[in-house]
Amino acid sequence: MVYNDRMTFIQNVAEYYDELYPVTEEQKKFYSRIQKSYPAPARFLQIGCGTGALEHALAKSGADVTGIEVSKELIEIAALRRRTQLMPIRFFQLSTLDMTRFLGKNFYNVISCLNSRIVFVRDKTLVRKFFFDCKALLTEDGTLVLHLYNFSRALQNGRTELRMRSSIRVKLFSTLTTGKDSAFFMNQRIETGTGKVLTVMENEALYPLTKDEIASFAKEAGFTDFLFYGSYAMEAFTDRSEDIVCTIR
């Protein structure tokens, strides 16, 4: 994803990333179902891979995994974890804007972009390009997986507090605000167990991608099959769902 270095302080959350974004059993089961749809080893591309925790879980299950991440702080943690284990997994510091230049076309069985990272592409035209680029990188029967906040819940409000993420050591607070011309911004801060408060994002611009737009942009890029869920447990998505988890083929 594309971040504004002046407004984002990823180094403040890097130490706690795995605690705040843990790999859940539901998530493992969700990916296990998808992985079984392809011959082993299934080839995964994880966009915005963070510290690589999910990528290592996939590799341990027999997948061949590539992770890309724009944050130097996060990709260094992922690479360090990679050096301690011999698995078919690799990490690159790379933006979505450049991924089709450096990654193999028609190569990946599954491409994922999770934890609302897609919305930080920011620009509607570039978001549409994202779907075309994923289509180019996927095999003919490949699957695109997206996980993001259900922004339709926030579009009618000037300020929306998102679900707090927390661990024993830290809490992550996220707030969506609206500006002029329907602009949206994310503010995030962490609070440590000692009471220290650190900024993670300050008025970080985003594009509030909705369910209907996902289907529209994906169809435009050549995808034909869309399944939307409310979580990795794969319950039916409704307008009241807090999250969107979708598989696109």
Side-chain angles (χ1 to χ4, degrees):
M1 310 303 85
V2 182
Y3 286 121
N4 183 332
D5 293 337
R6 294 173 299 173
M7 311 295 278
T8 306
F9 308 90
I10 296 297
Q11 69 274 12
N12 288 338
V13 78
E15 176 185 350
Y16 311 105
Y17 197 89
D18 287 350
E19 301 171 32
L20 295 171
Y21 298 93
V23 180
T24 65
E25 288 304 313
E26 283 185 354
Q27 197 174 27
K28 290 179 181 179
K29 291 177 181 178
F30 177 86
Y31 274 97
S32 178
R33 294 186 188 98
I34 295 176
Q35 188 173 345
K36 291 175 182 177
S37 301
Y38 300 100
R43 297 186 295 272
F44 283 79
L45 171 62
Q46 304 293 107
I47 298 172
C49 64
T51 57
L54 174 59
E55 291 66 39
H56 279 271
L58 290 170
K60 286 179 180 178
S61 69
D64 182 277
V65 185
T66 300
I68 65 172
E69 170 63 58
V70 294
S71 165
K72 179 182 178 182
E73 291 84 0
L74 297 182
I75 204 70
E76 286 178 348
I77 296 173
L80 181 62
R81 178 183 278 150
R82 161 70 178 84
R83 287 196 292 268
T84 64
Q85 302 180 50
L86 297 176
M87 291 188 294
I89 186 170
R90 62 211 62 82
F91 296 104
F92 302 107
Q93 187 176 359
L94 188 66
S95 164
T96 57
L97 298 178
D98 298 318
M99 62 185 184
T100 54
R101 293 175 54 200
F102 296 101
L103 301 176
K105 303 285 183 64
N106 306 121
F107 180 79
Y108 299 99
N109 300 123
V110 184
I111 296 178
S112 299
C113 188
L114 312 179
N115 298 320
S116 295
R117 294 292 297 273
I118 187 174
V119 304
F120 295 105
V121 175
R122 297 193 184 126
D123 179 81
K124 182 176 182 178
T125 299
L126 293 179
V127 173
R128 292 168 70 179
K129 178 181 182 296
F130 171 90
F131 285 92
F132 279 94
D133 289 348
C134 287
K135 183 64 174 176
L137 293 172
L138 282 167
T139 55
E140 185 176 351
D141 60 346
T143 301
L144 173 61
V145 179
L146 299 178
H147 164 233
L148 64 157
Y149 178 72
N150 178 16
F151 286 94
S152 295
R153 291 165 53 100
L155 293 177
Q156 305 303 319
N157 301 312
R159 178 184 176 91
T160 303
E161 298 291 337
L162 304 189
R163 180 182 64 245
M164 181 187 71
R165 291 180 176 270
S166 64
S167 70
I168 295 175
R169 298 195 300 159
V170 69
K171 296 178 181 178
L172 174 66
F173 300 92
S174 304
T175 305
L176 281 174
T177 57
T178 56
K180 295 180 180 179
D181 301 321
S182 300
F184 273 74
F185 303 92
M186 175 77 78
N187 287 276
Q188 286 188 329
R189 72 184 192 279
I190 59 171
E191 182 178 325
T192 68
T194 61
K196 189 174 183 179
V197 177
L198 298 171
T199 297
V200 179
M201 291 186 186
E202 184 177 347
N203 293 327
E204 183 72 12
L206 58 86
Y207 183 82
L209 185 63
T210 64
K211 172 181 175 289
D212 289 344
E213 284 182 314
I214 291 171
S216 176
F217 295 166
K219 187 175 182 179
E220 185 180 60
F223 293 96
T224 58
D225 185 44
F226 320 97
L227 295 174
F228 292 89
Y229 307 104
S231 75
Y232 290 109
M234 301 177 71
E235 78 270 17
F237 174 84
T238 71
D239 291 341
R240 300 182 65 182
S241 298
E242 187 167 5
D243 291 326
I244 299 173
V245 175
C246 60
T247 58
I248 303 169
R249 295 183 176 89

